[in-house]
Amino acid sequence: SIRGDYRSRGLDLNHTGFLNRADFREAWLWAQYRTNDPWWLTRRMWHNVNVGYGGNLDGVPLVRGGNYNMFIELANYWYVGIGTWLDYAETFSDRETRGGPPAPIPIGQSAWFSVQTDSRKWYTVNLNAGAGDTWDGQYYQVNTYFELRPRSNVEVSAGPGFRSEWGVSRWLAYTENEAGERDREIFGEQTSKRLDMTVRGTVNFTRDISLQVYAQPFMASVDYADFKVLVPPRDYEYVGTDVYDEGVMQPDYNWASFNSNVVLRWEYRPGSTLFVVWAHSRDTTTGFGNFEVAREVNGLLAADATNTFLVKVNYWLAL
Protein backbone atom coordinates (compact mmCIF):
# COMPACT_ATOMS: atom_id res chain seq x y z
CA SER A 1 0.00 0.00 0.00
CA ILE A 2 0.98 3.62 -0.52
CA ARG A 3 -0.28 6.43 1.69
CA GLY A 4 0.11 10.16 1.34
CA ASP A 5 -0.83 13.11 3.55
CA TYR A 6 -0.81 16.82 2.68
CA ARG A 7 -1.92 19.63 5.00
CA SER A 8 -1.69 23.29 4.04
CA ARG A 9 -0.42 25.94 6.46
CA GLY A 10 -3.88 27.34 7.09
CA LEU A 11 -5.65 24.03 7.68
CA ASP A 12 -7.77 24.17 10.85
CA LEU A 13 -10.10 21.30 11.72
CA ASN A 14 -10.21 21.84 15.47
CA HIS A 15 -13.90 22.74 15.42
CA THR A 16 -14.73 19.25 14.19
CA GLY A 17 -11.98 17.23 15.86
CA PHE A 18 -8.36 17.21 16.99
CA LEU A 19 -5.65 18.20 14.50
CA ASN A 20 -2.12 17.55 15.78
CA ARG A 21 -0.54 19.88 13.23
CA ALA A 22 -0.90 21.60 9.86
CA ASP A 23 1.93 22.62 7.47
CA PHE A 24 2.87 19.01 6.77
CA ARG A 25 3.32 16.49 3.97
CA GLU A 26 4.42 12.86 4.00
CA ALA A 27 4.37 9.65 1.97
CA TRP A 28 4.59 6.05 3.18
CA LEU A 29 5.17 2.74 1.45
CA TRP A 30 4.01 -0.44 3.24
CA ALA A 31 4.50 -4.05 2.17
CA GLN A 32 3.61 -7.32 3.91
CA TYR A 33 4.50 -10.93 3.33
CA ARG A 34 2.19 -13.34 5.14
CA THR A 35 2.30 -17.11 5.55
CA ASN A 36 -0.80 -18.95 6.74
CA ASP A 37 0.44 -22.55 6.55
CA PRO A 38 1.64 -24.13 9.83
CA TRP A 39 5.38 -24.79 9.92
CA TRP A 40 7.29 -26.39 12.78
CA LEU A 41 6.29 -24.41 15.93
CA THR A 42 4.37 -21.70 14.08
CA ARG A 43 0.80 -21.37 12.84
CA ARG A 44 1.07 -18.06 10.97
CA MET A 45 3.67 -15.35 10.31
CA TRP A 46 3.53 -11.70 9.20
CA HIS A 47 6.48 -9.69 7.87
CA ASN A 48 5.98 -5.92 7.45
CA VAL A 49 8.20 -3.23 5.94
CA ASN A 50 7.41 0.51 6.19
CA VAL A 51 9.38 3.37 4.64
CA GLY A 52 8.41 7.00 5.20
CA TYR A 53 9.33 10.49 4.05
CA GLY A 54 7.84 13.65 5.54
CA GLY A 55 8.45 17.31 6.24
CA ASN A 56 6.86 20.72 6.48
CA LEU A 57 6.05 22.91 3.50
CA ASP A 58 9.30 24.88 3.94
CA GLY A 59 11.25 21.72 3.16
CA VAL A 60 12.42 20.96 6.71
CA PRO A 61 12.78 17.14 6.98
CA LEU A 62 10.67 15.78 9.85
CA VAL A 63 10.53 12.06 8.94
CA ARG A 64 13.23 10.06 7.18
CA GLY A 65 13.13 6.41 8.11
CA GLY A 66 11.51 3.04 8.03
CA ASN A 67 10.92 -0.07 10.05
CA TYR A 68 10.69 -3.81 9.79
CA ASN A 69 8.52 -5.87 12.11
CA MET A 70 7.56 -9.52 12.29
CA PHE A 71 4.77 -11.25 14.20
CA ILE A 72 4.49 -14.99 14.74
CA GLU A 73 1.49 -16.94 16.01
CA LEU A 74 2.89 -20.06 17.61
CA ALA A 75 1.27 -23.48 17.67
CA ASN A 76 0.22 -22.92 21.30
CA TYR A 77 -1.53 -19.64 20.29
CA TRP A 78 1.14 -17.42 21.82
CA TYR A 79 2.28 -14.38 19.81
CA VAL A 80 5.87 -13.20 19.42
CA GLY A 81 6.92 -9.98 17.71
CA ILE A 82 10.15 -8.17 16.92
CA GLY A 83 10.81 -4.90 15.13
CA THR A 84 13.39 -2.25 14.38
CA TRP A 85 13.37 1.37 13.22
CA LEU A 86 16.19 2.93 11.17
CA ASP A 87 16.63 6.55 10.09
CA TYR A 88 18.21 6.97 6.67
CA ALA A 89 18.81 10.71 7.03
CA GLU A 90 18.98 13.44 9.66
CA THR A 91 15.69 15.08 10.66
CA PHE A 92 14.61 18.16 12.59
CA SER A 93 11.84 19.29 14.92
CA ASP A 94 10.28 22.53 13.70
CA ARG A 95 8.31 22.98 16.95
CA GLU A 96 10.85 22.28 19.68
CA THR A 97 12.07 25.89 19.98
CA ARG A 98 8.54 27.39 20.05
CA GLY A 99 8.99 29.67 17.06
CA GLY A 100 12.79 29.56 16.83
CA PRO A 101 14.97 27.64 14.36
CA PRO A 102 14.46 23.89 13.89
CA ALA A 103 16.22 21.61 16.36
CA PRO A 104 18.39 18.86 14.81
CA ILE A 105 17.72 15.15 15.42
CA PRO A 106 20.63 12.93 14.31
CA ILE A 107 20.25 9.59 12.57
CA GLY A 108 19.19 6.92 15.03
CA GLN A 109 17.82 3.43 15.38
CA SER A 110 15.80 1.41 17.86
CA ALA A 111 14.45 -2.10 18.35
CA TRP A 112 11.62 -3.75 20.29
CA PHE A 113 10.34 -7.17 21.29
CA SER A 114 6.93 -8.43 22.43
CA VAL A 115 5.35 -11.68 23.59
CA GLN A 116 1.72 -12.47 24.40
CA THR A 117 0.25 -15.59 25.93
CA ASP A 118 -2.80 -17.51 24.69
CA SER A 119 -5.74 -15.07 24.66
CA ARG A 120 -8.28 -17.92 24.74
CA LYS A 121 -7.53 -18.62 28.40
CA TRP A 122 -8.98 -16.79 31.40
CA TYR A 123 -5.77 -14.76 31.70
CA THR A 124 -3.51 -13.05 29.17
CA VAL A 125 -0.03 -11.63 29.72
CA ASN A 126 1.66 -9.26 27.28
CA LEU A 127 5.27 -8.07 27.60
CA ASN A 128 6.89 -5.36 25.46
CA ALA A 129 10.47 -4.09 25.68
CA GLY A 130 12.38 -1.64 23.54
CA ALA A 131 15.62 0.34 23.44
CA GLY A 132 17.55 2.61 21.12
CA ASP A 133 18.03 6.24 20.15
CA THR A 134 15.59 9.05 20.85
CA TRP A 135 16.45 12.53 19.59
CA ASP A 136 20.21 12.75 20.25
CA GLY A 137 20.01 10.53 23.34
CA GLN A 138 19.05 6.99 24.25
CA TYR A 139 16.13 5.22 25.91
CA TYR A 140 14.82 1.90 27.10
CA GLN A 141 11.32 0.96 28.14
CA VAL A 142 9.40 -2.02 29.47
CA ASN A 143 5.60 -2.36 29.36
CA THR A 144 3.44 -5.21 30.55
CA TYR A 145 -0.26 -5.86 30.24
CA PHE A 146 -2.31 -8.33 32.25
CA GLU A 147 -5.92 -9.23 31.48
CA LEU A 148 -7.94 -11.45 33.81
CA ARG A 149 -11.35 -12.97 33.10
CA PRO A 150 -12.06 -15.13 36.19
CA ARG A 151 -15.78 -15.28 35.38
CA SER A 152 -17.88 -14.59 32.30
CA ASN A 153 -19.16 -11.33 33.82
CA VAL A 154 -15.86 -10.03 35.27
CA GLU A 155 -12.91 -8.55 33.38
CA VAL A 156 -9.87 -6.83 34.93
CA SER A 157 -6.79 -5.47 33.18
CA ALA A 158 -3.63 -3.69 34.35
CA GLY A 159 -0.78 -2.29 32.30
CA PRO A 160 2.31 -1.02 34.18
CA GLY A 161 5.15 0.54 32.22
CA PHE A 162 8.55 2.16 32.78
CA ARG A 163 10.62 4.35 30.45
CA SER A 164 14.04 5.93 30.96
CA GLU A 165 15.78 8.47 28.71
CA TRP A 166 19.18 10.15 29.01
CA GLY A 167 21.37 12.54 27.03
CA VAL A 168 18.37 14.05 25.22
CA SER A 169 18.78 17.70 24.22
CA ARG A 170 15.53 19.58 24.82
CA TRP A 171 14.75 23.28 24.53
CA LEU A 172 14.44 25.34 27.73
CA ALA A 173 14.34 29.04 26.89
CA TYR A 174 15.77 31.76 24.67
CA THR A 175 17.69 34.96 25.30
CA GLU A 176 17.24 38.31 23.58
CA ASN A 177 19.77 40.82 22.27
CA GLU A 178 19.70 44.56 22.93
CA ALA A 179 17.17 45.05 20.14
CA GLY A 180 14.73 42.66 21.80
CA GLU A 181 15.20 39.98 19.16
CA ARG A 182 15.66 36.27 19.83
CA ASP A 183 19.36 35.74 20.23
CA ARG A 184 20.24 32.28 21.55
CA GLU A 185 18.18 29.11 22.01
CA ILE A 186 19.07 27.40 25.30
CA PHE A 187 18.97 23.60 25.54
CA GLY A 188 19.76 21.17 28.31
CA GLU A 189 20.55 17.46 28.23
CA GLN A 190 17.57 15.79 29.80
CA THR A 191 17.54 12.65 31.94
CA SER A 192 14.01 11.46 32.60
CA LYS A 193 12.25 8.49 34.15
CA ARG A 194 8.56 7.67 33.93
CA LEU A 195 6.43 5.06 35.66
CA ASP A 196 2.74 4.64 34.93
CA MET A 197 -0.01 2.07 35.11
CA THR A 198 -3.54 1.87 33.74
CA VAL A 199 -6.09 -0.31 35.53
CA ARG A 200 -9.53 -1.14 34.17
CA GLY A 201 -12.24 -3.36 35.53
CA THR A 202 -15.79 -4.24 34.51
CA VAL A 203 -18.41 -6.23 36.41
CA ASN A 204 -21.75 -7.03 34.78
CA PHE A 205 -24.18 -7.77 37.60
CA THR A 206 -27.06 -8.36 35.22
CA ARG A 207 -27.72 -7.77 31.54
CA ASP A 208 -28.74 -4.17 32.36
CA ILE A 209 -26.50 -3.19 35.33
CA SER A 210 -22.72 -2.90 35.22
CA LEU A 211 -19.91 -1.26 37.17
CA GLN A 212 -16.78 0.09 35.45
CA VAL A 213 -13.60 1.20 37.23
CA TYR A 214 -10.66 3.09 35.74
CA ALA A 215 -7.50 4.21 37.57
CA GLN A 216 -4.19 5.61 36.38
CA PRO A 217 -1.25 6.47 38.65
CA PHE A 218 1.63 8.32 36.93
CA MET A 219 4.96 9.67 38.11
CA ALA A 220 7.93 11.16 36.31
CA SER A 221 11.22 12.94 37.03
CA VAL A 222 13.21 15.21 34.72
CA ASP A 223 16.78 16.40 35.38
CA TYR A 224 18.73 18.82 33.18
CA ALA A 225 22.50 19.17 32.84
CA ASP A 226 25.15 20.31 30.32
CA PHE A 227 23.37 23.45 29.11
CA LYS A 228 24.15 24.51 25.55
CA VAL A 229 23.16 26.88 22.77
CA LEU A 230 21.82 25.83 19.39
CA VAL A 231 24.10 26.77 16.50
CA PRO A 232 21.87 26.39 13.42
CA PRO A 233 21.39 24.30 11.51
CA ARG A 234 22.70 21.21 13.32
CA ASP A 235 25.27 21.95 16.06
CA TYR A 236 25.33 22.83 19.76
CA GLU A 237 27.79 24.89 21.76
CA TYR A 238 28.11 24.21 25.47
CA VAL A 239 27.80 27.27 27.71
CA GLY A 240 28.26 28.14 31.35
CA THR A 241 25.87 29.40 33.98
CA ASP A 242 26.04 32.94 32.60
CA VAL A 243 23.40 32.00 30.02
CA TYR A 244 21.25 29.67 32.09
CA ASP A 245 21.95 29.52 35.81
CA GLU A 246 20.49 26.31 37.16
CA GLY A 247 20.65 27.69 40.66
CA VAL A 248 18.45 30.66 39.73
CA MET A 249 16.20 29.20 37.04
CA GLN A 250 15.65 25.62 38.16
CA PRO A 251 14.35 23.48 35.28
CA ASP A 252 14.39 20.12 37.09
CA TYR A 253 11.01 18.83 38.18
CA ASN A 254 8.99 15.86 39.40
CA TRP A 255 5.35 15.33 38.60
CA ALA A 256 2.98 12.71 39.96
CA SER A 257 -0.74 12.28 39.44
CA PHE A 258 -3.59 9.89 40.11
CA ASN A 259 -6.87 9.85 38.21
CA SER A 260 -9.77 7.46 38.59
CA ASN A 261 -13.37 7.01 37.51
CA VAL A 262 -16.09 4.73 38.83
CA VAL A 263 -19.21 4.43 36.63
CA LEU A 264 -22.41 2.61 37.56
CA ARG A 265 -24.54 2.03 34.47
CA TRP A 266 -28.17 0.93 34.54
CA GLU A 267 -30.24 0.51 31.39
CA TYR A 268 -33.59 0.78 33.14
CA ARG A 269 -35.51 0.38 29.88
CA PRO A 270 -34.39 -0.38 26.29
CA GLY A 271 -32.41 2.62 25.02
CA SER A 272 -32.72 4.56 28.31
CA THR A 273 -29.74 4.60 30.65
CA LEU A 274 -28.82 6.00 34.07
CA PHE A 275 -25.15 6.76 34.82
CA VAL A 276 -23.77 7.48 38.30
CA VAL A 277 -20.14 8.64 38.13
CA TRP A 278 -17.45 9.38 40.71
CA ALA A 279 -14.23 10.99 39.37
CA HIS A 280 -11.21 11.41 41.65
CA SER A 281 -7.95 13.22 40.81
CA ARG A 282 -4.88 14.55 42.57
CA ASP A 283 -1.41 15.65 41.48
CA THR A 284 1.77 17.15 42.87
CA THR A 285 4.81 18.91 41.40
CA THR A 286 8.24 19.25 43.03
CA GLY A 287 11.73 20.22 41.87
CA PHE A 288 13.95 17.34 42.97
CA GLY A 289 14.75 15.96 39.50
CA ASN A 290 15.63 12.46 40.73
CA PHE A 291 13.26 9.50 40.71
CA GLU A 292 12.03 8.03 44.01
CA VAL A 293 8.78 6.07 43.98
CA ALA A 294 8.16 6.13 47.73
CA ARG A 295 8.56 9.92 47.91
CA GLU A 296 6.18 10.49 45.01
CA VAL A 297 3.56 8.14 46.49
CA ASN A 298 3.75 9.91 49.86
CA GLY A 299 3.44 13.26 48.11
CA LEU A 300 0.36 12.11 46.23
CA LEU A 301 -1.29 10.84 49.40
CA ALA A 302 -0.72 14.22 51.05
CA ALA A 303 -1.91 16.26 48.03
CA ASP A 304 -5.35 17.84 47.87
CA ALA A 305 -7.86 15.76 45.96
CA THR A 306 -10.65 16.77 43.60
CA ASN A 307 -13.80 14.67 43.69
CA THR A 308 -16.61 15.05 41.17
CA PHE A 309 -19.96 13.30 41.35
CA LEU A 310 -22.18 13.19 38.29
CA VAL A 311 -25.59 11.72 37.53
CA LYS A 312 -26.69 11.46 33.91
CA VAL A 313 -30.03 10.17 32.66
CA ASN A 314 -30.85 9.27 29.07
CA TYR A 315 -34.45 8.63 28.06
CA TRP A 316 -35.34 7.15 24.68
CA LEU A 317 -38.41 8.70 23.11
CA ALA A 318 -40.31 6.29 20.90
CA LEU A 319 -42.36 8.32 18.41
Side-chain angles (χ1 to χ4, degrees):
S1 69
I2 298 175
R3 179 176 65 86
D5 187 1
Y6 180 90
R7 309 176 196 175
S8 65
R9 291 186 175 90
L11 180 63
D12 184 1
L13 304 177
N14 289 308
H15 291 297
T16 57
F18 173 72
L19 178 68
N20 61 347
R21 66 167 295 151
D23 185 20
F24 184 67
R25 58 186 174 188
E26 67 173 352
W28 285 89
L29 172 66
W30 173 83
Q32 181 185 85
Y33 177 73
R34 181 172 60 244
T35 60
N36 294 314
D37 297 326
W39 175 76
W40 195 38
L41 300 177
T42 69
R43 297 185 70 250
R44 293 182 296 173
M45 299 178 65
W46 300 265
H47 301 266
N48 302 286
V49 176
N50 304 271
V51 180
Y53 171 97
N56 65 21
L57 301 189
D58 291 323
V60 177
L62 304 178
V63 178
R64 296 289 190 276
N67 92 313
Y68 163 78
N69 58 77
M70 176 181 67
F71 296 91
I72 302 174
E73 184 182 8
L74 301 176
N76 61 356
Y77 291 93
W78 284 39
Y79 284 86
V80 176
I82 60 173
T84 182
W85 171 273
L86 300 173
D87 292 322
Y88 59 79
E90 182 186 43
T91 58
F92 294 81
S93 170
D94 59 350
R95 292 183 164 188
E96 178 67 13
T97 58
R98 280 69 163 178
I105 303 176
I107 294 175
Q109 52 274 324
S110 61
W112 59 266
F113 167 82
S114 70
V115 59
Q116 177 182 302
T117 63
D118 186 354
S119 61
R120 301 173 304 165
K121 296 185 177 181
W122 69 271
Y123 66 91
T124 303
V125 181
N126 189 300
L127 173 65
N128 296 272
D133 300 317
T134 177
W135 291 71
D136 57 343
Q138 288 78 46
Y139 83 96
Y140 73 87
Q141 66 180 30
V142 179
N143 301 89
T144 57
Y145 179 79
F146 305 92
E147 187 172 3
L148 306 177
R149 298 171 296 275
R151 301 182 61 178
S152 61
N153 65 323
V154 179
E155 183 175 311
V156 180
S157 64
F162 179 79
R163 181 181 176 97
S164 177
E165 299 181 2
W166 61 94
V168 182
S169 299
R170 302 306 296 262
W171 181 85
L172 285 168
Y174 66 87
T175 61
E176 296 181 347
N177 57 23
E178 295 181 355
E181 302 169 334
R182 292 181 74 142
D183 184 15
R184 292 184 287 186
E185 306 294 332
I186 312 302
F187 283 70
E189 290 192 2
Q190 186 184 92
T191 298
S192 64
K193 292 179 172 59
R194 184 183 73 200
L195 178 65
D196 64 85
M197 182 167 64
T198 301
V199 179
R200 290 183 172 89
T202 301
V203 180
N204 294 299
F205 300 106
T206 68
R207 185 185 64 179
D208 304 320
I209 301 177
S210 64
L211 181 70
Q212 295 178 319
V213 178
Y214 166 86
Q216 186 183 60
F218 176 91
M219 57 188 66
S221 67
V222 179
D223 177 75
Y224 288 92
D226 298 330
F227 301 108
K228 47 193 174 181
V229 172
L230 175 63
V231 182
R234 56 177 52 86
D235 294 320
Y236 291 102
E237 177 183 330
Y238 286 90
V239 296
T241 56
D242 60 315
V243 173
Y244 198 98
D245 192 337
E246 187 178 7
V248 177
M249 302 176 66
Q250 175 62 267
D252 302 341
Y253 68 91
N254 296 65
W255 183 55
S257 67
F258 178 82
N259 295 280
S260 65
N261 291 289
V262 179
V263 180
L264 178 65
R265 179 184 181 275
W266 175 32
E267 189 172 358
Y268 57 91
R269 55 173 293 173
S272 301
T273 311
L274 169 69
F275 297 92
V276 180
V277 183
W278 170 37
H280 174 90
S281 65
R282 59 178 66 202
D283 65 85
T284 179
T285 303
T286 56
F288 295 102
N290 62 330
F291 190 77
E292 291 187 12
V293 175
R295 182 188 62 211
E296 303 304 330
V297 171
N298 292 332
L300 271 179
L301 294 175
D304 294 333
T306 300
N307 293 284
T308 303
F309 295 92
L310 172 69
V311 177
K312 177 182 177 181
V313 180
N314 290 339
Y315 186 83
W316 183 268
L317 294 175
L319 302 178

